[in-house]
Amino acid sequence: MFKKLSAFLFVVAAVFTIFAPSSSAQSKADDIIDTAYDYSGSPYVWGGTSPSGFDCSGYVQYVYGKHGIDLDRTSRQQALQGEPVSRSNLQPGDLLFFGSPVWHVGIYIGNNKMISAENPGDDIDVASLKYYWGDQLSGARRVIDEDQSHTASLSPGEFHDVSSHYWAEDKISYISQQGIIHGYEGGYFRPNRDVTRGEVAKMMSEALNLGTSSHDRFSDIGSHWSSDYVNAVAAEGYITGYGDGTFRPDESMTREEIASLFDRAFHLSGSANVSFSDVNSGDWSYNAIEDLVANSITHGYEDGTFRPDHTTSRSEFAAFLYNAIR
């Protein structure tokens, strides 16, 4: 059944609007965010300005300095640089400031999230702008001045922000060439951004030829762009909502939620020795993760973890899908 579904998916067209890079034409904002992730393993050190240890403003100063943007040393000084930006107009690469007077700075990475050097307990971390950080946000500044448009021609499966050396380049390219995943306007893929529940529903509806449905099954999707796709996938029982009757289409999907979705939609089966240090046999997603391992869809991380409650990036989702249909 698994191999039959693989053959079927090869001919699927126009599935999903995921988004993507090619190194020479990658936007400066995406370059900066990639660099921010490169140093995410550095510890938090108060007053630190190097990879051996950063504080919040030292981290931002170092990352932007790698791309020719000179920032002042402290977060309060940085809050006076660049141009002010409203929260509704945030773009990846903008600086976010917290408190009045300012006591923290982070880098906006899209999808209502930031990356920053927080404190000795959290080190460099990705955090949501909901709840605590959302309440503390006091301003934003844009310090990137660039023409985001690129005129370089792209071949099918190529994106301005996915280089030939990127770890998932071959998978993203293949899935795109099959007409299953498309990028943002302008030829971008945005590989590090989270894939949302609405986006995944659209893709699964198209990939499995489920069509659309106008029969709303959740209380919060009536006017959402993905509603008809969500309804169609939910009708098959492949994807579910929350106990309060909502679907939350703009929220990210975790790795264990993707595992459960793939397990149902691709009718996976098999047995494997699941030895991830953070996955236990009593976990609700254990069987689905086991099925993904048994079908070589995932092997987890090099440190022996699966990170089931971590959000799934666009590139990770593309890799899961590639492994599922190949």
Side-chain angles (χ1 to χ4, degrees):
M1 178 67 181
F2 178 70
K3 293 300 183 183
K4 289 180 181 179
L5 181 59
S6 298
F8 166 74
L9 285 174
F10 286 153
V11 298
V12 175
V15 174
F16 177 38
T17 53
I18 281 184
F19 321 75
S22 165
S23 60
S24 63
Q26 180 166 336
S27 74
K28 184 174 287 188
D30 286 307
D31 282 336
I32 287 171
I33 292 171
D34 286 346
T35 300
Y37 276 104
D38 286 343
Y39 295 99
S40 62
S42 300
Y44 180 94
V45 174
W46 188 84
T49 59
S50 73
S52 61
F54 290 113
D55 64 12
C56 65
S57 56
Y59 175 60
V60 168
Q61 183 187 52
Y62 186 89
V63 168
Y64 281 75
K66 285 283 187 178
H67 299 276
I69 298 176
D70 294 326
L71 296 178
D72 291 332
R73 174 61 187 91
T74 70
S75 58
R76 292 183 189 179
Q77 292 171 328
Q78 293 168 0
L80 300 176
Q81 296 184 260
E83 299 296 327
V85 181
S86 67
R87 182 165 183 169
S88 61
N89 290 319
L90 287 174
Q91 295 180 6
D94 289 341
L95 295 179
L96 304 176
F97 298 95
F98 302 86
S100 182
V102 171
W103 49 261
H104 187 68
V105 59
I107 302 170
Y108 185 64
I109 60 174
N111 201 32
N112 208 33
K113 293 184 179 181
M114 72 166 177
I115 186 169
S116 70
E118 291 191 11
N119 56 61
D122 293 324
D123 296 336
I124 292 173
D125 194 22
V126 172
S128 171
L129 294 182
K130 297 180 180 179
Y131 311 116
Y132 176 78
W133 288 114
D135 292 340
Q136 297 295 322
L137 183 64
S138 57
R141 310 286 289 194
R142 185 161 299 153
V143 296
I144 299 173
D145 182 17
E146 67 172 349
D147 180 2
Q148 297 287 350
S149 64
H150 296 286
T151 59
S153 60
L154 295 170
S155 300
E158 289 185 343
F159 300 93
H160 287 306
D161 55 350
V162 177
S163 75
S164 60
H165 303 293
Y166 186 65
W167 71 271
E169 186 275 334
D170 58 333
K171 298 174 174 60
I172 293 170
S173 178
Y174 178 85
I175 296 298
S176 176
Q177 289 176 13
Q178 301 307 311
I180 295 174
I181 292 178
H182 299 285
Y184 286 105
E185 183 179 356
Y188 293 98
F189 187 78
R190 311 304 188 212
N192 294 322
R193 295 186 185 178
D194 290 348
V195 64
T196 68
R197 292 168 57 82
E199 291 169 339
V200 168
K202 181 178 188 294
M203 177 176 124
M204 299 307 294
S205 175
E206 298 281 3
L208 300 176
N209 198 29
L210 301 180
T212 59
S213 172
S214 59
H215 175 61
D216 287 344
R217 296 175 178 273
F218 305 98
S219 62
D220 60 341
I221 62 170
S223 61
H224 196 270
W225 67 265
S226 68
S227 61
D228 289 351
Y229 302 104
V230 172
N231 292 328
V233 178
E236 297 295 325
Y238 295 153
I239 200 165
T240 58
Y242 294 89
D244 62 358
T246 63
F247 182 76
R248 306 174 194 174
D250 293 319
E251 289 197 2
S252 306
M253 286 197 78
T254 65
R255 290 167 57 81
E256 62 183 344
E257 287 174 333
I258 296 294
S260 179
L261 170 62
F262 274 44
D263 194 34
R264 293 190 297 268
F266 295 152
H267 307 287
L268 302 180
S269 62
S271 60
N273 179 23
V274 176
S275 57
F276 299 123
S277 61
D278 55 352
V279 177
N280 301 311
S281 59
D283 295 341
W284 72 268
S285 59
Y286 178 86
N287 290 336
I289 294 172
E290 181 183 39
D291 287 343
L292 259 64
V293 173
N295 286 278
S296 299
I297 295 174
T298 184
H299 301 289
Y301 292 91
E302 292 181 357
D303 62 359
T305 63
F306 181 75
R307 307 177 192 176
D309 58 351
H310 283 212
T311 56
T312 308
S313 70
R314 298 184 187 281
S315 55
E316 287 176 326
F317 188 85
F320 280 159
L321 181 60
Y322 173 90
N323 292 337
I325 68 175
R326 289 283 287 178

